[in-house]
Amino acid sequence: MGSADPERTGGYPSSWERPTVFYSKNVKYLVYGAIGLFVLWSAWELRPSPARLIGGADAAASLLTTMFPPDFTPEARGRIWDGMIESIAMSIVATAIGVLISIPIAVMAAENLVPRPVYYVGRSLVSISRSLHELVLAIVAVVAVGLGPLAGVIALVIATPGFFAKLMAEELEDIDEGQADAIRALGGSPVQVLLYGVAPQVIPRMIGLIIYRWDINIRASTIVGIVGAGGIGVTLLNSFDRYEYDFSLAIILAIIAVVMFGEILSAVARRRVQ
Amino acid sequence: MLTITDLEKVYPTGDKALQGVSMEVDGNEVVSIIGPSGAGKSTLIKCVNRLTEPTSGSIVLDGEELTTLSKKELRKTRRDMGMIFQEFNLIERLTVMENVLSGRLGYMSSWNAFRRNFDDEDVQNAYEILDRVGVGGMENKRVDELSGGQRQRVGIARAILQRPKILLVDEPTSALDPETSFEVMEMLTEIAREEDIPVLINIHEVELALDYTDRIVGLTDGQVVFNGTPAELDESARDTIYRSGKSRAETGTEDQSQSQSQSSSSEITDASKEKSF
Amino acid sequence: MSYEGSTTWRKHDGRARALRYLAIVVAIAITALSWRALDIQYTFVVDAPRNLGDLLLRMYPPNLAYGAEILPPLVETINIAILGTGLAILISLPIAYIGAENTTPNAVTYALGKFLIVGTRSVNVIIWALFFVVIFGTGALSGVLAVAFRSIGFVSKLIAEGIEEIDAGQVEAIRAMGGSPLDVVVYGIVPQIKPAFVGVATYRWDINVREATVIGFVGAGGIGVYLDTAINFFQWSNVLTILIAILGIVIISEVVSAYLRKKVS
Ligand SMILES: Nc1ncnc2c1ncn2[C@@H]1O[C@H](COP(=O)(O)OP(=O)(O)OP(=O)(O)O)[C@@H](O)[C@H]1O
Ligand SMILES: [Mg+2]
């Protein structure tokens, strides 16, 4: 590190270099430089044409002027209400069904409860469900079953194990094995072990997770409509297509209100349960 | 020479931490401040380099009035005052060398500081000081890998590299075990003597004050109640200083100072939270 | 004595149990009502599994040749996530600064910081994308902005928490040595929040890769545009190829982000 050997010269080195995680200072600068260049290049690729920028300014101006004030006329309120009820209903149904299919997947993805091959299958299902965005699932579901809330429900149901089964499996892995062993010792079947040795330990946490997932599903249910899968998102997309930006803003404000309300409700409910 | 006259400090909470403190630190004296917890020892030290703004009174260092300095002048003057902290206050995630060299921050441009572009001479001195405080060869270790004793040595090295005109030390050993405490005190006073600079040091353990300092100032409830040599600190002087303590048993006083040093660490962090930056 | 004890115990347990059953009944009732509200015809439900199965059969096998074609949009998706995250961080730094209790100048700035954090977080990325597409037209630029704005709340909140947790002693030490305010930031604050910062950046980037896969549905660039097109043209094996590719990049970025987080601790 130092340039001079203190033993030999009797003095101390007059330079010091900070140790880096890279092999040397030069490698470090090279890496940083490469990252900088990459970012600059990508930013350059994105540049809008001057015409677009000017057009964009106009569009932004007209967007902002039409947006305010938000359209909360009784007619608009009625449409928002209908869309919102559909979204919330979707979130509830999807949570119920999603949790039902997540529970077996959670058991499969709990290392301590099942044989290895089953565990890997469980983990893979969780990973796939987690990796695909609700909107990707929704767009595919719309193709399969047509436009409407059924597609939305299916999308949310498929997205649920990625969160619920994953966290549930972690709960299952944390259980006190002694209680499960006790049931085993009494000659209980594997199902009995789950019902009497495992379930009582995880049910309070499970209810918390159900409420949490429902909170997430509310958020998702307000946007899946953008690909035609029902709920307020459909109303929102239509308002954009018809340039009714004041109505769009009203819808977005309503969505924010519902999402926040759901967040508060779920936080309160989870605290009550645990 | 440091001269403090009629220093008062009232915290926004209404705590009168200092009530007319006057004292001096001369030449290359090592002066210790002892006193019960909450007496205002830390407040006094921090008023000197104005980490805490004094309410009234005067502090003069080598002819310069410190209480009226502008922000810029204050930064310059702070370079002349090395500070050593109870909780070390080292930059935990940086290397020992960077910490020691950070003692030169007041002399560098921020740009050079950012690039860790230190002066050759400073680097040389830093190596030498690390050797002197007994942590030679550890320059590339991160501070969070060091033991408490090693950290305080780095803290001392950092303060010395400032080439200060005075060392301000706030309970340097409270976070250390007794044996390390003696080592650190020994080294601290020795280096100060070699560098020929005065030291103002807060201390909990009266024993350490007796062994290592030239003069002792007793502080109680923000007032100086004793000022004399270790030899003059007799039983009755101790009683005045630790008024609230039991006067009879020597061990009683010891116990109390033990529990004080326990509580003081949390108080210091509480106090430092007040700082805005 | 023991008899009495057991009745009180049973009574208490009985009430809790009744409440629990009530909660279950209410939950089932609400779910049933919700189902009615959706007004979905049973034939559709009955057919749904078959329809989904049919679709998967039509998709299989994936079109491997198409894989090369979608490489550029995949790279674009990741780039959108990187640039969006980077931009979000730039915007978030001042917001975090005013949203952290110990650095915010006054109560008004603190409230503003909190408002910006909550406000941006409540609007989904796809809604941001709708807006930016209106302003900047279709393309990755709108996507980057949508991802960035969506991330501001999350990133500033976590950085603000990082700032709130710093040890004031280290800051004090730099000031005591005569360091300038800039030195205080560089030596006193930055080293302390660096791990939190890297953690937030990589974690958010990981989330953003996933988000960047869908903004294409409203024309904001990335692989989503291709998925939308493939579906509109009934190119089912291409759809499957894209789905697999999305799965791939999402999982890879998850691994990369976890690795980076571990590296800087
Ligand atoms: N930041 C602050 N805000 C309000 N009051 C404070 C602050 N810091 C200290 N005080 C008060 O000032 C008084 C003196 O505190 P100081 O920390 O100076 O005492 P000390 O002698 O160093 O005590 P210790 O031995 O416990 O470190 C105490 O009553 C304390 O509560
Ligand atoms: Mg103190």
Side-chain angles (χ1 to χ4, degrees):
Chain A
M1 202 98 335
S3 54
D5 179 3
E7 294 304 315
R8 227 173 4 175
T9 60
Y12 290 94
S14 61
S15 72
W16 172 82
E17 247 180 51
R18 186 181 187 206
T20 91
V21 285
F22 306 101
Y23 299 98
S24 81
K25 217 172 176 173
N26 292 333
V27 175
K28 182 168 108 176
Y29 288 144
L30 214 68
V31 171
Y32 285 167
I35 293 174
L37 275 179
F38 166 77
V39 169
L40 282 179
W41 170 76
S42 334
W44 177 248
E45 289 284 299
L46 286 178
R47 77 195 179 282
S49 67
R52 182 66 236 181
L53 265 186
I54 295 163
D58 284 348
S62 80
L63 179 72
L64 287 175
T65 46
T66 18
M67 236 163 66
F68 293 99
D71 177 10
F72 277 119
T73 53
E75 202 259 321
R77 282 212 303 267
R79 279 158 68 196
I80 294 178
W81 177 258
D82 291 345
M84 208 54 103
I85 289 295
E86 188 164 86
S87 277
I88 294 173
M90 272 160 58
S91 72
I92 292 171
V93 172
T95 306
I97 305 174
V99 165
L100 287 182
I101 65 161
S102 292
I103 290 173
I105 297 180
V107 174
M108 287 166 74
E111 216 173 352
N112 54 340
L113 297 179
V114 292
R116 276 276 129 174
V118 180
Y119 168 71
Y120 288 127
V121 173
R123 293 297 301 193
S124 309
L125 289 176
V126 166
S127 281
I128 292 174
S129 157
R130 229 158 72 86
S131 303
L132 294 176
H133 197 281
E134 295 90 21
L135 280 175
V136 172
L137 296 170
I139 206 172
V140 174
V142 165
V143 175
V145 304
L147 297 169
L150 179 60
V153 169
I154 291 176
L156 297 188
V157 164
I158 298 178
T160 298
F163 169 90
F164 187 83
K166 177 171 187 276
L167 295 183
M168 202 54 214
E170 281 163 17
E171 293 298 327
L172 290 171
E173 282 168 358
D174 282 348
I175 58 165
D176 168 16
E177 289 284 344
Q179 298 183 33
D181 283 343
I183 307 293
R184 271 188 208 113
L186 292 173
S189 69
V191 174
Q192 281 171 325
V193 171
L194 280 180
L195 279 183
Y196 300 105
V198 177
Q201 296 186 53
V202 294
I203 277 181
R205 293 283 299 140
M206 186 175 95
I207 291 170
L209 285 177
I210 293 175
I211 299 169
Y212 197 178
R213 181 62 214 185
W214 173 65
D215 177 16
I216 297 172
N217 276 345
I218 289 186
R219 291 156 192 265
S221 72
T222 59
I223 54 150
V224 287
I226 287 175
V227 294
I232 188 80
V234 177
T235 327
L236 179 63
L237 189 69
N238 287 339
S239 76
F240 262 91
D241 286 344
R242 296 193 202 123
Y243 308 106
E244 296 168 351
Y245 298 130
D246 51 346
F247 186 35
S248 313
L249 182 60
I251 296 171
I252 291 169
L253 292 176
I255 290 177
I256 293 177
V258 168
V259 165
M260 282 189 171
F261 181 72
E263 194 173 322
I264 294 168
L265 198 69
S266 116
V268 171
R270 269 182 289 153
R271 211 169 310 135
R272 283 291 299 273
V273 175
Q274 279 147 27
Chain B
M1 177 163 121
L2 179 75
T3 314
I4 298 171
T5 325
D6 280 336
L7 195 67
E8 308 221 344
K9 170 67 190 180
V10 184
Y11 279 106
T13 50
D15 286 290
K16 290 184 183 153
L18 299 176
Q19 310 183 27
V21 171
S22 299
M23 63 176 289
E24 277 181 8
V25 184
D26 222 352
N28 61 359
E29 246 188 329
V30 177
V31 177
S32 57
I33 305 171
I34 62 173
S37 191
K41 304 184 296 293
S42 301
T43 307
L44 178 58
I45 291 254
K46 287 184 180 176
C47 277
V48 174
N49 62 4
R50 283 180 50 195
L51 285 175
T52 293
E53 288 294 337
T55 310
S56 68
S58 123
I59 304 167
V60 176
L61 178 67
D62 291 343
E64 188 178 30
E65 173 62 55
L66 302 186
T67 54
T68 55
L69 292 177
S70 72
K71 260 194 179 147
K72 210 169 162 196
E73 293 166 329
L74 176 63
R75 272 217 300 280
K76 242 183 173 159
T77 310
R78 275 179 176 164
R79 305 189 303 202
D80 297 333
M81 299 182 281
M83 186 154 183
I84 295 164
F85 303 83
Q86 173 180 354
E87 302 288 341
F88 322 128
N89 291 6
L90 298 167
I91 315 303
E92 293 282 315
R93 294 179 37 81
L94 296 187
T95 57
V96 167
M97 193 52 134
E98 283 166 294
N99 269 279
V100 175
L101 284 167
S102 71
R104 301 305 290 175
L105 279 181
Y107 296 92
M108 301 166 67
S109 73
S110 292
W111 173 236
N112 276 340
F114 172 74
R115 292 191 303 151
R116 314 289 197 263
N117 187 7
F118 300 102
D119 208 63
D120 286 359
E121 204 189 320
D122 292 340
V123 174
Q124 223 160 3
N125 289 336
Y127 273 111
E128 190 236 303
I129 291 168
L130 281 175
D131 249 4
R132 261 166 78 192
V133 299
V135 287
M138 295 193 183
E139 61 271 6
N140 287 334
K141 280 203 172 182
R142 246 166 63 162
V143 168
D144 52 15
E145 298 167 9
L146 302 184
S147 72
Q150 288 169 334
R151 284 179 204 210
Q152 198 54 295
R153 287 161 199 268
V154 175
I156 293 169
R158 174 174 71 177
I160 296 297
L161 195 69
Q162 275 180 254
R163 300 264 168 256
K165 292 184 188 157
I166 185 169
L167 276 182
L168 306 172
V169 190
D170 193 4
E171 299 195 23
T173 58
S174 298
L176 305 176
D177 61 69
E179 200 172 318
T180 321
S181 293
F182 279 101
E183 284 170 23
V184 164
M185 276 304 288
E186 175 89 45
M187 197 188 61
L188 178 63
T189 46
E190 190 184 302
I191 287 188
R193 214 142 274 156
E194 284 167 16
E195 299 285 318
D196 198 28
I197 47 176
V199 182
L200 182 60
I201 179 168
N202 280 344
I203 233 164
H204 252 122
E205 298 89 331
V206 182
E207 295 312 314
L208 290 176
L210 291 173
D211 286 358
Y212 292 103
T213 63
D214 303 324
R215 195 153 53 83
I216 296 177
V217 172
L219 203 63
T220 305
D221 290 339
Q223 285 165 331
V224 176
V225 292
F226 174 84
N227 191 341
T229 61
E232 289 163 358
L233 186 76
D234 52 20
E235 202 62 26
S236 81
R238 288 192 193 203
D239 277 354
T240 352
I241 297 170
Y242 296 102
R243 238 191 320 242
S244 46
K246 298 282 160 292
S247 53
R248 256 176 296 131
E250 169 85 27
T251 48
T253 332
E254 286 291 294
D255 277 355
Q256 196 202 357
S257 73
Q258 278 297 324
S259 69
Q260 279 161 1
S261 65
Q262 298 259 304
S263 70
S264 70
S265 79
S266 69
E267 266 174 45
I268 282 197
T269 26
D270 280 351
S272 44
K273 269 189 190 140
E274 178 221 23
K275 296 276 90 58
S276 58
F277 36 84
Chain C
M1 187 65 213
S2 73
Y3 173 75
E4 223 173 74
S6 80
T7 37
T8 43
W9 172 77
R10 204 181 288 157
K11 233 190 250 162
H12 182 76
D13 184 62
R15 189 180 308 149
R17 189 177 282 185
L19 264 177
R20 212 176 299 149
Y21 282 131
L22 188 70
I24 293 174
V25 169
V26 168
I28 291 175
I30 291 179
T31 310
L33 275 177
S34 302
W35 176 255
R36 297 245 340 242
L38 290 180
D39 204 16
I40 299 171
Q41 288 184 18
Y42 278 94
T43 49
F44 287 163
V45 181
V46 175
D47 286 349
R50 214 196 58 228
N51 285 335
L52 277 171
D54 277 357
L55 184 65
L56 286 178
L57 277 182
R58 264 178 285 160
M59 287 181 181
Y60 191 83
N63 180 358
L64 293 181
Y66 188 58
E69 236 173 281
I70 57 172
L71 219 53
L74 283 173
V75 171
E76 186 178 70
T77 305
I78 293 174
N79 276 358
I80 290 174
I82 294 174
L83 291 174
T85 310
L87 186 59
I89 288 171
L90 286 185
I91 304 174
S92 295
L93 286 176
I95 296 180
Y97 188 81
I98 64 170
E101 265 176 334
N102 52 349
T103 48
T104 195
N106 56 51
V108 178
T109 55
Y110 182 64
L112 177 71
K114 284 276 169 240
F115 171 77
L116 289 173
I117 287 172
V118 175
T120 53
R121 218 157 48 106
S122 315
V123 177
N124 193 282
V125 70
I126 200 80
I127 298 178
W128 284 115
L130 280 171
F131 270 109
F132 286 115
V133 166
V134 171
I135 300 176
F136 294 104
T138 55
L141 176 62
S142 300
V144 168
L145 292 172
V147 166
F149 275 73
R150 162 67 164 173
S151 313
I152 289 173
F154 178 94
V155 175
S156 352
K157 179 164 182 267
L158 292 182
I159 296 182
E161 279 170 12
I163 296 178
E164 276 168 3
E165 272 166 25
I166 70 179
D167 162 22
Q170 301 183 28
V171 170
E172 193 167 59
I174 302 295
R175 290 171 65 225
M177 288 179 292
S180 68
L182 217 61
D183 295 335
V184 168
V185 172
V186 171
Y187 279 77
I189 298 180
V190 170
Q192 293 197 59
I193 63 169
K194 197 168 150 194
F197 185 81
V198 173
V200 174
T202 51
Y203 186 33
R204 187 66 218 187
W205 170 72
D206 177 19
I207 296 174
N208 282 345
V209 169
R210 207 166 152 277
E211 305 251 287
T213 59
V214 300
I215 50 181
F217 299 163
V218 295
I223 189 72
V225 178
Y226 283 69
L227 180 56
D228 202 35
T229 316
I231 285 176
N232 287 338
F233 287 91
F234 310 111
Q235 298 161 335
W236 303 121
S237 41
N238 288 358
V239 170
L240 186 58
T241 316
I242 294 176
L243 290 179
I244 294 171
I246 289 178
L247 214 65
I249 60 170
V250 169
I251 289 173
I252 289 172
S253 47
E254 199 175 320
V255 172
V256 170
S257 120
Y259 171 79
L260 288 177
R261 268 199 298 283
K262 204 189 272 170
K263 196 98 197 228
V264 181
S265 56

PDB file of all heavy atoms in Angstrom, chain B residues 120-140:
ATOM      1  N   ASP B 120       0.448  14.823   1.426  1.00  0.00           N
ATOM      2  CA  ASP B 120       1.480  13.811   1.691  1.00  0.00           C
ATOM      3  C   ASP B 120       1.958  13.864   3.135  1.00  0.00           C
ATOM      4  O   ASP B 120       2.113  12.846   3.807  1.00  0.00           O
ATOM      5  CB  ASP B 120       2.690  14.039   0.775  1.00  0.00           C
ATOM      6  CG  ASP B 120       2.368  13.616  -0.656  1.00  0.00           C
ATOM      7  OD1 ASP B 120       1.228  13.149  -0.869  1.00  0.00           O
ATOM      8  OD2 ASP B 120       3.240  13.777  -1.521  1.00  0.00           O
ATOM      9  N   GLU B 121       2.190  15.077   3.599  1.00  0.00           N
ATOM     10  CA  GLU B 121       2.731  15.239   4.943  1.00  0.00           C
ATOM     11  C   GLU B 121       1.738  14.743   5.989  1.00  0.00           C
ATOM     12  O   GLU B 121       2.110  14.092   6.962  1.00  0.00           O
ATOM     13  CB  GLU B 121       3.037  16.722   5.170  1.00  0.00           C
ATOM     14  CG  GLU B 121       4.075  16.967   6.219  1.00  0.00           C
ATOM     15  CD  GLU B 121       4.158  18.454   6.547  1.00  0.00           C
ATOM     16  OE1 GLU B 121       4.076  19.282   5.619  1.00  0.00           O
ATOM     17  OE2 GLU B 121       4.287  18.764   7.738  1.00  0.00           O
ATOM     18  N   ASP B 122       0.450  15.036   5.749  1.00  0.00           N
ATOM     19  CA  ASP B 122      -0.580  14.577   6.679  1.00  0.00           C
ATOM     20  C   ASP B 122      -0.605  13.058   6.742  1.00  0.00           C
ATOM     21  O   ASP B 122      -0.748  12.470   7.816  1.00  0.00           O
ATOM     22  CB  ASP B 122      -1.961  15.106   6.252  1.00  0.00           C
ATOM     23  CG  ASP B 122      -2.072  16.608   6.413  1.00  0.00           C
ATOM     24  OD1 ASP B 122      -1.269  17.174   7.182  1.00  0.00           O
ATOM     25  OD2 ASP B 122      -2.944  17.206   5.761  1.00  0.00           O
ATOM     26  N   VAL B 123      -0.477  12.444   5.569  1.00  0.00           N
ATOM     27  CA  VAL B 123      -0.509  10.978   5.534  1.00  0.00           C
ATOM     28  C   VAL B 123       0.659  10.423   6.345  1.00  0.00           C
ATOM     29  O   VAL B 123       0.505   9.514   7.171  1.00  0.00           O
ATOM     30  CB  VAL B 123      -0.443  10.474   4.076  1.00  0.00           C
ATOM     31  CG1 VAL B 123      -0.320   8.958   4.043  1.00  0.00           C
ATOM     32  CG2 VAL B 123      -1.679  10.913   3.306  1.00  0.00           C
ATOM     33  N   GLN B 124       1.822  11.029   6.124  1.00  0.00           N
ATOM     34  CA  GLN B 124       3.010  10.584   6.847  1.00  0.00           C
ATOM     35  C   GLN B 124       2.811  10.726   8.359  1.00  0.00           C
ATOM     36  O   GLN B 124       3.071   9.808   9.127  1.00  0.00           O
ATOM     37  CB  GLN B 124       4.197  11.445   6.412  1.00  0.00           C
ATOM     38  CG  GLN B 124       5.440  10.651   6.171  1.00  0.00           C
ATOM     39  CD  GLN B 124       6.412  11.424   5.296  1.00  0.00           C
ATOM     40  OE1 GLN B 124       6.169  12.578   4.913  1.00  0.00           O
ATOM     41  NE2 GLN B 124       7.524  10.795   4.979  1.00  0.00           N
ATOM     42  N   ASN B 125       2.316  11.888   8.747  1.00  0.00           N
ATOM     43  CA  ASN B 125       2.069  12.122  10.167  1.00  0.00           C
ATOM     44  C   ASN B 125       1.037  11.152  10.718  1.00  0.00           C
ATOM     45  O   ASN B 125       1.153  10.691  11.855  1.00  0.00           O
ATOM     46  CB  ASN B 125       1.571  13.561  10.384  1.00  0.00           C
ATOM     47  CG  ASN B 125       2.676  14.565  10.165  1.00  0.00           C
ATOM     48  OD1 ASN B 125       3.853  14.223  10.296  1.00  0.00           O
ATOM     49  ND2 ASN B 125       2.313  15.785   9.811  1.00  0.00           N
ATOM     50  N   ALA B 126       0.027  10.843   9.890  1.00  0.00           N
ATOM     51  CA  ALA B 126      -1.025   9.939  10.354  1.00  0.00           C
ATOM     52  C   ALA B 126      -0.431   8.559  10.660  1.00  0.00           C
ATOM     53  O   ALA B 126      -0.726   7.964  11.704  1.00  0.00           O
ATOM     54  CB  ALA B 126      -2.117   9.831   9.294  1.00  0.00           C
ATOM     55  N   TYR B 127       0.438   8.074   9.748  1.00  0.00           N
ATOM     56  CA  TYR B 127       1.082   6.780  10.001  1.00  0.00           C
ATOM     57  C   TYR B 127       1.853   6.817  11.314  1.00  0.00           C
ATOM     58  O   TYR B 127       1.810   5.895  12.116  1.00  0.00           O
ATOM     59  CB  TYR B 127       2.051   6.433   8.862  1.00  0.00           C
ATOM     60  CG  TYR B 127       1.408   5.717   7.702  1.00  0.00           C
ATOM     61  CD1 TYR B 127       1.261   6.344   6.476  1.00  0.00           C
ATOM     62  CD2 TYR B 127       0.978   4.395   7.826  1.00  0.00           C
ATOM     63  CE1 TYR B 127       0.694   5.692   5.392  1.00  0.00           C
ATOM     64  CE2 TYR B 127       0.409   3.732   6.750  1.00  0.00           C
ATOM     65  CZ  TYR B 127       0.272   4.383   5.535  1.00  0.00           C
ATOM     66  OH  TYR B 127      -0.284   3.721   4.485  1.00  0.00           O
ATOM     67  N   GLU B 128       2.563   7.929  11.495  1.00  0.00           N
ATOM     68  CA  GLU B 128       3.404   8.043  12.679  1.00  0.00           C
ATOM     69  C   GLU B 128       2.553   8.057  13.954  1.00  0.00           C
ATOM     70  O   GLU B 128       2.847   7.353  14.922  1.00  0.00           O
ATOM     71  CB  GLU B 128       4.219   9.343  12.568  1.00  0.00           C
ATOM     72  CG  GLU B 128       5.293   9.473  13.606  1.00  0.00           C
ATOM     73  CD  GLU B 128       5.162  10.742  14.400  1.00  0.00           C
ATOM     74  OE1 GLU B 128       5.154  11.833  13.810  1.00  0.00           O
ATOM     75  OE2 GLU B 128       5.046  10.642  15.629  1.00  0.00           O
ATOM     76  N   ILE B 129       1.455   8.809  13.918  1.00  0.00           N
ATOM     77  CA  ILE B 129       0.619   8.912  15.107  1.00  0.00           C
ATOM     78  C   ILE B 129      -0.053   7.583  15.417  1.00  0.00           C
ATOM     79  O   ILE B 129      -0.162   7.180  16.575  1.00  0.00           O
ATOM     80  CB  ILE B 129      -0.428  10.032  14.920  1.00  0.00           C
ATOM     81  CG1 ILE B 129       0.281  11.388  14.922  1.00  0.00           C
ATOM     82  CG2 ILE B 129      -1.457   9.999  16.027  1.00  0.00           C
ATOM     83  CD1 ILE B 129      -0.584  12.520  14.463  1.00  0.00           C
ATOM     84  N   LEU B 130      -0.487   6.884  14.355  1.00  0.00           N
ATOM     85  CA  LEU B 130      -1.103   5.575  14.579  1.00  0.00           C
ATOM     86  C   LEU B 130      -0.127   4.669  15.321  1.00  0.00           C
ATOM     87  O   LEU B 130      -0.505   3.929  16.227  1.00  0.00           O
ATOM     88  CB  LEU B 130      -1.516   4.941  13.251  1.00  0.00           C
ATOM     89  CG  LEU B 130      -2.826   5.486  12.672  1.00  0.00           C
ATOM     90  CD1 LEU B 130      -3.095   4.900  11.303  1.00  0.00           C
ATOM     91  CD2 LEU B 130      -3.987   5.181  13.608  1.00  0.00           C
ATOM     92  N   ASP B 131       1.134   4.721  14.926  1.00  0.00           N
ATOM     93  CA  ASP B 131       2.167   3.955  15.613  1.00  0.00           C
ATOM     94  C   ASP B 131       2.269   4.373  17.072  1.00  0.00           C
ATOM     95  O   ASP B 131       2.332   3.551  17.968  1.00  0.00           O
ATOM     96  CB  ASP B 131       3.520   4.193  14.932  1.00  0.00           C
ATOM     97  CG  ASP B 131       3.999   2.938  14.228  1.00  0.00           C
ATOM     98  OD1 ASP B 131       3.232   1.950  14.226  1.00  0.00           O
ATOM     99  OD2 ASP B 131       5.127   2.959  13.689  1.00  0.00           O
ATOM    100  N   ARG B 132       2.269   5.677  17.267  1.00  0.00           N
ATOM    101  CA  ARG B 132       2.463   6.196  18.629  1.00  0.00           C
ATOM    102  C   ARG B 132       1.331   5.797  19.563  1.00  0.00           C
ATOM    103  O   ARG B 132       1.546   5.533  20.733  1.00  0.00           O
ATOM    104  CB  ARG B 132       2.564   7.722  18.599  1.00  0.00           C
ATOM    105  CG  ARG B 132       4.000   8.204  18.647  1.00  0.00           C
ATOM    106  CD  ARG B 132       4.082   9.643  18.273  1.00  0.00           C
ATOM    107  NE  ARG B 132       3.672  10.521  19.363  1.00  0.00           N
ATOM    108  CZ  ARG B 132       3.440  11.831  19.195  1.00  0.00           C
ATOM    109  NH1 ARG B 132       3.555  12.366  18.004  1.00  0.00           N
ATOM    110  NH2 ARG B 132       3.093  12.562  20.208  1.00  0.00           N
ATOM    111  N   VAL B 133       0.077   5.784  19.052  1.00  0.00           N
ATOM    112  CA  VAL B 133      -1.019   5.419  19.936  1.00  0.00           C
ATOM    113  C   VAL B 133      -1.224   3.908  19.981  1.00  0.00           C
ATOM    114  O   VAL B 133      -2.141   3.431  20.652  1.00  0.00           O
ATOM    115  CB  VAL B 133      -2.352   6.112  19.542  1.00  0.00           C
ATOM    116  CG1 VAL B 133      -2.222   7.603  19.617  1.00  0.00           C
ATOM    117  CG2 VAL B 133      -2.790   5.660  18.158  1.00  0.00           C
ATOM    118  N   GLY B 134      -0.353   3.171  19.265  1.00  0.00           N
ATOM    119  CA  GLY B 134      -0.379   1.717  19.410  1.00  0.00           C
ATOM    120  C   GLY B 134      -1.375   0.998  18.523  1.00  0.00           C
ATOM    121  O   GLY B 134      -1.790  -0.116  18.842  1.00  0.00           O
ATOM    122  N   VAL B 135      -1.785   1.623  17.433  1.00  0.00           N
ATOM    123  CA  VAL B 135      -2.614   0.868  16.490  1.00  0.00           C
ATOM    124  C   VAL B 135      -1.974   0.884  15.095  1.00  0.00           C
ATOM    125  O   VAL B 135      -2.668   0.852  14.090  1.00  0.00           O
ATOM    126  CB  VAL B 135      -4.071   1.399  16.414  1.00  0.00           C
ATOM    127  CG1 VAL B 135      -4.839   1.024  17.660  1.00  0.00           C
ATOM    128  CG2 VAL B 135      -4.108   2.899  16.209  1.00  0.00           C
ATOM    129  N   GLY B 136      -0.616   0.925  15.077  1.00  0.00           N
ATOM    130  CA  GLY B 136       0.099   0.892  13.815  1.00  0.00           C
ATOM    131  C   GLY B 136      -0.267  -0.365  13.036  1.00  0.00           C
ATOM    132  O   GLY B 136      -0.510  -1.407  13.622  1.00  0.00           O
ATOM    133  N   GLY B 137      -0.329  -0.238  11.713  1.00  0.00           N
ATOM    134  CA  GLY B 137      -0.639  -1.396  10.885  1.00  0.00           C
ATOM    135  C   GLY B 137      -2.122  -1.667  10.731  1.00  0.00           C
ATOM    136  O   GLY B 137      -2.518  -2.547   9.987  1.00  0.00           O
ATOM    137  N   MET B 138      -2.947  -0.902  11.429  1.00  0.00           N
ATOM    138  CA  MET B 138      -4.392  -1.144  11.299  1.00  0.00           C
ATOM    139  C   MET B 138      -5.058  -0.134  10.387  1.00  0.00           C
ATOM    140  O   MET B 138      -6.277  -0.048  10.357  1.00  0.00           O
ATOM    141  CB  MET B 138      -5.052  -1.068  12.675  1.00  0.00           C
ATOM    142  CG  MET B 138      -4.602  -2.153  13.603  1.00  0.00           C
ATOM    143  SD  MET B 138      -5.661  -2.219  15.034  1.00  0.00           S
ATOM    144  CE  MET B 138      -4.842  -3.505  15.950  1.00  0.00           C
ATOM    145  N   GLU B 139      -4.248   0.638   9.647  1.00  0.00           N
ATOM    146  CA  GLU B 139      -4.816   1.764   8.911  1.00  0.00           C
ATOM    147  C   GLU B 139      -5.924   1.363   7.931  1.00  0.00           C
ATOM    148  O   GLU B 139      -6.819   2.144   7.667  1.00  0.00           O
ATOM    149  CB  GLU B 139      -3.719   2.543   8.173  1.00  0.00           C
ATOM    150  CG  GLU B 139      -2.941   1.760   7.129  1.00  0.00           C
ATOM    151  CD  GLU B 139      -1.730   1.048   7.710  1.00  0.00           C
ATOM    152  OE1 GLU B 139      -1.581   1.076   8.947  1.00  0.00           O
ATOM    153  OE2 GLU B 139      -0.942   0.467   6.939  1.00  0.00           O
ATOM    154  N   ASN B 140      -5.879   0.135   7.415  1.00  0.00           N
ATOM    155  CA  ASN B 140      -6.881  -0.237   6.425  1.00  0.00           C
ATOM    156  C   ASN B 140      -8.095  -0.952   7.009  1.00  0.00           C
ATOM    157  O   ASN B 140      -8.983  -1.370   6.281  1.00  0.00           O
ATOM    158  CB  ASN B 140      -6.251  -1.117   5.345  1.00  0.00           C
ATOM    159  CG  ASN B 140      -5.358  -0.290   4.437  1.00  0.00           C
ATOM    160  OD1 ASN B 140      -5.562   0.912   4.290  1.00  0.00           O
ATOM    161  ND2 ASN B 140      -4.344  -0.919   3.879  1.00  0.00           N
TER     162      ASN B 140
END
